[in-house]
Amino acid sequence: MKKILCSICVLVGLAPALTGCGGYDYFAHVSEIRSDIFCAETEQFTLTLSCTEREYPYASDGIACSMSKVVEISVSPIDCDLDGLEITFTDGKGTDGDAAFRNTHGDYFYSFGVTEFPTESVSLSLKWNNGERELTATSVKNEQTLTAKQALDCAISAEKDKIGRMTRNKRFYGEFYVRLLRRNVNYYYVGIVDENGNTLSLLLDSETGDILARREN
């Protein structure tokens, strides 16, 4: 189904895929981008807010479709029962709503679509059955953090042979995932997906673009 829905997108994308200077615009084949992460922590819970653009329908099939922006919030209890959790953006940078508990993750999750992502920081008010808390979540990025496009450029440069094998008649046949990660320090994950759904996964230093780990599956 996705191949049918995206066929027009692929054809239309042929022209803009070639940049004015004659280079190829691989960023046109990105189907998921996590461009920023905001974090906050209290003695009761940790909160992570992610800014993500994702294709619809979502499938690892080597075909990139049009994307939409979504903000995803995960609240993980430390020493607190967060039943009935409600999230309010006190600075007007988001849409208020109720978070649902996810058994598979052990967290409370809330997401909503946006036209623009927040920057630098987000002020929130959390209320639940037995308490409430106001806090500010700040971006994990700094001045040295690469952009998603820069991270992709680093991955493509490191995988020239594979990218070459996925390119026919001056057209790239595949899709990319580019995700900012936070594990005490920042990383970038870049996934290179071919037409058969096979994925090459790369872990990059978020500031230098150096490849730290590589795995194919």
Side-chain angles (χ1 to χ4, degrees), residues 59-188:
S60 296
D61 57 6
I63 302 175
C65 281
S66 298
M67 297 190 295
S68 58
K69 293 183 173 68
V70 62
V71 168
E72 300 173 321
I73 301 175
S74 170
V75 183
S76 299
I78 296 176
D79 185 21
C80 182
D81 181 354
L82 297 177
D83 286 349
L85 179 63
E86 299 176 359
I87 300 175
T88 301
F89 287 80
T90 56
D91 55 8
K93 292 184 178 180
T95 301
D96 306 338
D98 300 331
F101 183 72
R102 300 190 298 184
N103 286 306
T104 54
H105 293 77
D107 66 347
Y108 290 80
F109 182 78
Y110 175 59
S111 67
F112 56 93
V114 297
T115 56
E116 293 184 4
F117 289 130
T119 57
E120 297 184 0
S121 65
V122 176
S123 296
L124 303 149
S125 174
L126 277 65
K127 295 183 180 180
W128 58 97
N129 292 344
N130 299 316
E132 60 182 273
R133 186 69 180 260
E134 293 189 357
L135 73 164
T136 298
T138 56
S139 172
V140 301
K141 297 169 68 175
N142 57 48
E143 294 181 353
Q144 287 72 46
T145 304
L146 299 176
T147 65
K149 188 177 187 306
Q150 289 171 329
L152 179 61
D153 288 343
C154 292
I156 290 172
S157 178
E159 295 293 335
K160 290 180 180 178
D161 290 343
K162 182 173 182 64
I163 298 300
R165 293 193 298 271
M166 296 173 65
T167 303
R168 302 187 300 274
N169 299 320
K170 298 182 180 180
R171 172 68 182 179
F172 177 73
Y173 289 86
E175 63 182 330
F176 301 100
Y177 302 148
V178 185
R179 302 170 187 151
L180 182 65
L181 306 176
R182 179 69 179 179
R183 301 290 186 273
N184 297 320
V185 297
N186 296 339
Y187 302 95
Y188 267 108

Side-chain angles (χ1 to χ4, degrees), residues 1-6 29-32 53-67 174-177 179 191-199:
M1 176 63 70
K2 178 184 172 186
K3 293 181 183 294
I4 297 174
L5 292 174
C6 291
H29 296 274
V30 174
S31 58
E32 182 179 357
E53 293 181 72
R54 186 177 293 122
E55 69 174 359
Y56 183 82
Y58 187 76
S60 296
D61 57 6
I63 302 175
C65 281
S66 298
M67 297 190 295
E175 63 182 330
F176 301 100
Y177 302 148
R179 302 170 187 151
I192 304 174
V193 186
D194 66 20
E195 294 177 287
N196 297 316
N198 300 312
T199 303

